[in-house]
Amino acid sequence: MDVHEYQAKELLASAGVAVPRGAIAFSADQAVYAATELGGWHWAVKAQIHAGARGKAGGIKLCKTYHEVREAAAGMLGKRLVTHQTGPEGKPVQRVYVEVADPFEKEFYLGFVLDRKLERVRVIASAEGGMEIEEIASKHPEKLIQVIVEPAVGLQQFQARQIAFKLGLSSRQVQRAVTSIMGAYRAFRDHDATMLEINPLVLTKDDRILALDAKMSFDDNALFRRNNVANMHDPSQDDPREAQAAEHNLNYVGLEGDIGCVVNGAGLAMATMDVIKYAGGEPANFLDVGGGASPERTATAFRLVLSDKNVKVVLVNIFAGINRCDWIAEGVVHAVKEVDLKLPLVVRLAGTNVEEGRRILKESGISVIMAESLTEAAEKAVEAAKAAA
């Protein structure tokens, strides 16, 4: 689960990380009021969406007057902000964050990520703040500072000092940087985060260290014990299809292809997408109906896939173990008849009750392209998608 910048800063501030003074606003009038309450002479008005690269897309405006604050907020609220991280559909802007724009001298990058391969937290820092980490790694790999945190003891003060000195900070500035680094680690650890990115972390003219921007992602499976984080969820930022899938405990991720996939098992779903790509096609989604899918659950998954207007063909790939092919077949027949499917349907069944499942499909009266193997199913789906183009 992702949160907005201002919410991430709330968590950072509670852990002792210094952040600029700011306030959330849901209207242009509220934005002006926030600026007057915050004081100062310059403000940053920031669109709050779950995506980066907002500045390049016009989602961050620096303002010198209340009139400019009003115009900036009015120009963002109610619109959809499109960045290279949102895709062409963009994200709706329902709130803006008004923040005092303090002048600063240097920008740094500071990130914490869960390294699943090492089963450790990896700290990444760089003196090239303001750039995306991928760009830093590509253009200035020598400037990446990386520290692996031993989970038994956590991030140590000496490691934070090493990072601070490598960033080129003076002795007087290092201690404040250490406070920010250690606080950021506590916020990451204590809230079951999987990613924390402060970009940029800035050094002001009076030697303060401030988190000027912040992004955090959290482990969905730990939200039951992190009510304060769970309450920060903003449904407006979710893909409507993914939100609908979550309501039915389905694992769904929307993609940009035209072959809709209904598969049981996460591994098989990944393999199905790979084989579709190998056959020259593009999957429209990742969807795992789970191991105990009933006909009703399968029908729900089917309708979810068909809600994507880009889908030109549906591929059902079931390897039944815990599940049963006859259940899946009943769900497919029910869904096809309910939505009056006009698209080509490719079905590959294998495993428990496979013959009964195939019989149900053949006797249902619906048009089905049967396949014996995954490779054959993918090839037939790609052919059908190309024919429908």
Side-chain angles (χ1 to χ4, degrees), residues 24-332:
I24 198 68
F26 295 87
S27 70
D29 288 340
Q30 285 185 0
V32 173
Y33 179 76
T36 60
E37 288 293 297
L38 292 170
W41 300 100
H42 297 85
W43 304 271
V45 179
K46 302 180 176 182
Q48 296 299 287
I49 62 171
H50 289 173
R54 292 170 298 164
K56 297 177 182 178
I60 299 177
K61 299 289 186 182
L62 295 178
C63 306
K64 298 180 180 179
T65 67
Y66 297 141
H67 177 69
E68 290 181 359
V69 170
R70 182 186 300 276
E71 285 192 333
M76 297 177 192
L77 290 166
K79 308 296 193 306
R80 295 188 74 88
L81 187 64
V82 179
T83 78
H84 73 267
Q85 293 187 13
T86 65
E89 70 281 358
K91 295 276 189 180
V93 181
Q94 297 185 340
R95 64 195 81 182
V96 295
Y97 190 50
V98 182
E99 190 173 67
V100 175
D102 290 319
F104 56 86
E105 291 188 337
K106 292 182 180 179
E107 296 180 79
F108 308 102
Y109 176 94
L110 178 64
F112 298 78
V113 66
L114 182 61
D115 189 322
R116 299 184 185 277
K117 184 176 181 180
L118 294 179
E119 299 180 348
R120 301 287 189 275
V121 173
R122 181 185 295 271
V123 186
I124 305 173
S126 172
E128 298 294 323
M131 297 171 58
E132 295 182 21
I133 188 61
E134 295 85 0
E135 191 176 353
I136 299 173
S138 174
K139 295 184 177 180
H140 306 285
E142 74 284 354
K143 294 186 178 181
L144 282 182
I145 304 163
Q146 301 191 54
V147 170
I148 304 300
V149 179
E150 174 57 47
V153 296
L155 184 67
Q156 298 295 293
Q157 290 268 346
F158 79 89
Q159 292 175 305
R161 282 194 296 272
Q162 286 177 346
I163 293 172
F165 278 116
K166 288 181 180 180
L167 289 174
L169 297 173
S170 67
S171 299
R172 185 174 59 178
Q173 298 159 351
V174 161
Q175 187 52 48
R176 290 181 176 177
V178 168
T179 299
S180 293
I181 294 170
M182 295 300 295
Y185 171 72
R186 285 194 297 273
F188 179 93
R189 178 197 63 195
D190 295 347
H191 295 94
D192 290 305
T194 56
M195 187 277 294
L196 164 59
E197 185 178 69
I198 302 175
N199 188 24
L201 182 73
V202 300
L203 172 67
T204 66
K205 292 183 178 180
D206 55 356
D207 287 339
R208 289 180 297 148
I209 301 292
L210 296 177
L212 210 60
D213 194 6
K215 290 195 297 184
M216 293 186 77
S217 297
F218 301 88
D219 184 353
D220 293 347
N221 294 316
L223 292 179
F224 73 94
R225 62 185 182 191
R226 306 296 177 201
N227 290 331
N228 61 326
V229 175
N231 291 335
M232 293 178 175
H233 178 233
D234 182 1
S236 73
Q237 299 296 303
D238 295 340
D239 184 318
R241 298 167 299 175
E242 294 181 17
Q244 182 183 353
E247 290 179 5
H248 296 88
N249 294 318
L250 295 171
N251 298 313
Y252 178 94
V253 178
L255 303 173
E256 297 180 0
D258 55 11
I259 299 177
C261 304
V262 178
V263 190
N264 69 319
L268 186 58
M270 295 293 290
T272 301
M273 293 192 295
D274 287 343
V275 176
I276 289 173
K277 293 278 288 185
Y278 186 77
E282 290 291 338
N285 63 273
F286 167 97
L287 193 153
D288 170 21
V289 297
S294 64
E296 294 77 15
R297 184 181 175 88
T298 303
T300 299
F302 216 82
R303 288 192 297 270
L304 189 63
V305 170
L306 295 177
S307 68
D308 185 346
K309 302 303 181 183
N310 293 324
V311 171
K312 297 176 181 176
V313 58
V314 178
L315 170 58
V316 178
N317 181 28
I318 302 298
F319 188 88
I322 299 174
N323 216 331
R324 289 170 39 179
C325 289
D326 54 334
W327 284 0
I328 297 296
E330 290 175 7
V332 169

Side-chain angles (χ1 to χ4, degrees), residues 338-357:
E338 181 178 308
V339 302
D340 190 22
L341 180 67
K342 304 296 184 183
L343 302 177
L345 173 64
V346 180
V347 178
R348 179 254 181 167
L349 299 177
T352 306
N353 289 0
V354 62
E355 296 302 330
E356 178 64 12

